[in-house]
Amino acid sequence: MASSDDPSHRPLRSFGRIKSRAIKPRQAALFDTLLPSITVPDPKAGPIDPAVLMPGAAGVWLEIGFGGGEHLAEQASRHPDVLMIGCEPFLNGVGSALRHIDERDLKNVRLHADDARDVMAALPEGSLDRVMILFPDPWHKARHNKRRLIQDETTAEVARLLKPGGMVRFVTDWKDYAEWALARFERTPGLVWQAEAADDWCVAPADHVITRYEEKKLGDTPPIFLDFVRSA
């Protein structure tokens, strides 16, 4: 029987490059000094208990693919009593996030510099108050759609992890991906779309944090916001 580490049994990679250029010296130093102290325990070694990561946290949020870490750091700054778990395989983005965390002296952030799905599998049921998925790789070509992060198994895992009343927010600036994601979230038992009018998905929520990536306007539509809440 093939082991769980057999590449043929791993999910398709839903992200592109893991590094694009040399990491700046200051950020490289933070990989050695700061990252070890805030790294999420190896999810392949066993279950992850959020209460151990930050005892007494008022809530637990997970950001899947935090890019340069601007959104993650700002939300952590706004909610210092909430444990923020951020996952990002792109090392340049991890370096940027470390800089934000260091500059703001954030104590409530824990990072996983790899595939978020490993962390999700290791978290207990009903352990998250919020899941944030902002501008994931759209994988435009039809033959690459299978690499998109949002698949039926992913949305089912999100529903498993959310507490009753917990929310997942998906944001994209590609119309096709918005339609793709909406279809999969809507058919996931336990997740209820919160939109009642067009403004609910066309206008940024009050707590949204605009990042440099969003400002580049690389997609084919203004950002589309899909919020779902876990039913009881």
Side-chain angles (χ1 to χ4, degrees), residues 59-89:
V60 184
W61 294 14
L62 170 68
E63 182 164 356
I64 301 174
F66 55 70
E70 298 164 87
H71 177 270
L72 182 68
E74 178 61 25
Q75 294 289 8
S77 181
R78 293 179 183 181
H79 306 278
D81 58 341
V82 172
L83 169 63
M84 302 283 178
I85 301 174
C87 301
E88 174 59 61

Side-chain angles (χ1 to χ4, degrees), residues 8-213:
S8 65
H9 285 252
R10 297 173 188 164
L12 286 172
R13 209 167 84 169
S14 61
F15 46 88
R17 299 171 297 173
I18 61 171
K19 187 178 179 183
S20 67
R21 61 187 182 279
I23 296 174
K24 297 176 181 178
R26 180 186 172 194
Q27 295 180 9
L30 291 172
F31 271 88
D32 296 325
T33 59
L34 178 58
L35 183 58
S37 67
I38 63 171
T39 294
V40 173
D42 182 0
K44 296 180 181 178
I48 295 173
D49 184 356
V52 173
L53 299 182
M54 183 178 167
V60 184
W61 294 14
L62 170 68
E63 182 164 356
I64 301 174
F66 55 70
E70 298 164 87
H71 177 270
L72 182 68
E74 178 61 25
Q75 294 289 8
S77 181
R78 293 179 183 181
H79 306 278
D81 58 341
V82 172
L83 169 63
M84 302 283 178
I85 301 174
C87 301
E88 174 59 61
F90 185 54
L91 296 182
N92 299 83
V94 175
S96 175
L98 288 170
R99 177 177 61 82
H100 289 301
I101 294 166
D102 184 56
E103 288 178 349
R104 295 179 179 225
D105 194 27
L106 299 171
K107 305 300 185 184
N108 58 327
V109 181
R110 303 294 180 267
L111 301 183
H112 177 66
D114 207 331
D115 196 325
R117 291 171 293 188
D118 293 332
V119 170
M120 295 171 73
L123 286 169
E125 180 177 345
S127 59
L128 301 180
D129 296 272
R130 179 177 291 200
V131 175
M132 302 167 288
I133 308 171
L134 277 58
F135 304 102
D137 193 319
W139 293 102
H140 301 296
K141 296 179 180 179
R143 69 176 183 272
H144 291 158
N145 285 174
K146 61 188 177 183
R147 292 187 176 275
R148 287 175 166 173
L149 172 67
I150 303 302
Q151 307 288 344
D152 288 317
E153 55 267 32
T154 313
T155 58
E157 186 70 342
V158 167
R160 180 186 75 84
L161 291 173
L162 284 174
K163 299 175 182 177
M167 186 192 79
V168 54
R169 173 171 296 159
F170 174 86
V171 187
T172 184
D173 51 1
W174 292 95
K175 294 178 183 176
D176 175 64
Y177 202 1
E179 294 171 356
W180 169 284
L182 179 60
R184 283 150 184 79
F185 277 115
E186 280 204 301
R187 67 188 182 216
T188 300
L191 295 181
V192 182
W193 192 22
Q194 298 302 289
E196 296 180 351
D199 279 0
D200 292 329
W201 66 84
C202 296
V203 177
D207 61 351
H208 177 61
V209 176
I210 298 176
T211 64
R212 285 181 296 172
Y213 173 85

